[in-house]
Amino acid sequence: MYDLKALYEAQSVQDAVRLRLEHPEAQILAGGTDVLVQMREGKRAGKELISIYGIDSMRGVSIDEEENIRIGSLTSFSHITKDPIIQKYINVLGEAVDMVGGPQIRNAGTIGGNTCNGVTSADSASTLFAWDAVVELTGAEGVRRLPIQEFYLSAGKVDIRPDEIQTALLIPKASYENCFGHYIKYAMRNAMDIATTGCSVNVVLSEDKKTILRARIAYGVAGPIPTRAPSAEEAAGGRPATEETAETFAAAVLSDIRPRDSWRASKAFREHIAVELAKRGLLESIRLAGGATV
């Protein structure tokens, strides 16, 4: 049984905004894979819930008039993995969210819930950071968009105002065009586990496939929020697509990441893994982009 005070079901985005204003202490309920478990554990006992699960306009993947890839916040992990737009332009995101939990979680869990939790270990987060995702929030004053790097404020805290709900995630054309990437999740088990460290890398290569025009990398569990590694990105940009460049790129991540000691892994181990994952991620991204490292 769930110990809740009340459940309100929003029929539209504007209805959800209205309910947020009328019930400021209420918890938003999407797929429920985190909130309902926490309620059963007693952590959210007696709370009001606003369910947005019935708002179909917040589901699905499309390309908008600005050629952004638009991912509705209620789109499930399973749908993202199988979506043809995702598979064509940013397959790495589909691969990343396919590592979340088990099939039941992936069928119910949503990309919006995964990001709004604000946790650094979310499998979607490092890829969204590495692809310069933009978060769309809708509130009483209209639509607000901000880079995902600004959306995450601190561990478990994101920039959502009291009247807002997250309605979509956008991947700009400049971020996905001619771009290829790879995500590696390092965990204690191969499935049904939280990442010890997650690393997402992507590249744009020159026309002859021999030079890295742009490289981007982001981590989960390398700091209190998902973390980009600009020193590594700068170290690879404009350099040959070679294993030597991959080693230089990987070593540079230590200037930017801030992992911690925990019962899952020590800081030193996470730093070691972060360097190795960066190298492997870059080499695989180059291969996917049609390059051949030597």
Side-chain angles (χ1 to χ4, degrees), residues 93-230:
L93 180 60
E95 293 174 345
V97 299
D98 202 39
M99 298 181 189
V100 176
Q104 298 95 331
I105 296 294
R106 294 193 293 271
N107 286 340
T110 65
I111 191 75
N114 204 224
T115 51
C116 286
N117 275 341
V119 296
T120 184
S121 59
D123 285 302
S124 67
S126 55
T127 295
L128 292 169
F129 267 65
W131 291 71
D132 291 323
V134 174
V135 179
E136 180 185 277
L137 301 150
T138 303
E141 296 182 2
V143 174
R144 182 167 67 103
R145 291 180 176 179
L146 69 163
I148 197 165
Q149 290 90 338
E150 297 176 17
F151 180 65
Y152 281 73
L153 300 175
S154 59
K157 185 177 181 181
V158 294
D159 183 7
I160 298 181
R161 295 171 183 169
D163 63 315
E164 290 179 331
I165 61 170
Q166 188 201 103
T167 44
L169 290 150
L170 308 172
I171 311 295
K173 183 179 181 181
S175 293
Y176 69 77
E177 191 172 37
N178 300 317
C179 189
F180 298 83
H182 185 56
Y183 173 71
I184 306 174
K185 176 179 181 176
Y186 184 91
M188 296 172 69
R189 298 183 299 181
N190 289 332
M192 300 289 288
D193 203 358
I194 295 171
T196 303
T197 300
C199 177
S200 190
V201 184
N202 61 70
V203 298
V204 176
L205 297 185
S206 59
E207 190 173 348
D208 64 6
K209 308 299 183 184
K210 293 182 179 180
T211 303
I212 299 171
L213 298 182
R214 183 187 72 201
R216 294 177 299 193
I217 179 170
Y219 288 93
V221 207
I225 63 173
T227 305
R228 283 281 284 271

Side-chain angles (χ1 to χ4, degrees), residues 231-278:
S231 298
E233 295 173 358
E234 185 177 350
R239 296 196 60 178
T242 63
E243 185 157 351
E244 180 182 357
T245 295
E247 291 173 353
T248 301
F249 170 81
V253 303
L254 295 176
S255 299
D256 300 308
I257 63 173
R258 298 291 183 270
R260 64 181 178 89
D261 291 312
S262 76
W263 68 269
R264 291 184 179 275
S266 68
K267 175 182 177 181
F269 181 71
R270 281 195 168 104
E271 288 178 336
H272 172 76
I273 291 298
V275 171
E276 183 62 26
L277 296 188

Side-chain angles (χ1 to χ4, degrees), residues 7-8 10 15-17 19-20 23-32 34-36 38 44 47-53 55 58 74 110 112-113 116-117 160-166:
L7 172 65
Y8 310 100
D15 192 32
V17 170
L19 287 167
R20 285 275 278 161
H23 306 278
E25 300 300 318
Q27 170 72 50
I28 292 290
L29 178 68
D34 286 319
V35 171
L36 295 181
Q38 291 165 0
R44 298 180 184 270
K47 288 284 188 180
E48 293 179 300
L49 298 180
I50 298 171
S51 173
I52 60 172
Y53 198 71
I55 307 176
M58 287 174 55
L74 287 179
T110 65
C116 286
N117 275 341
I160 298 181
R161 295 171 183 169
D163 63 315
E164 290 179 331
I165 61 170
Q166 188 201 103

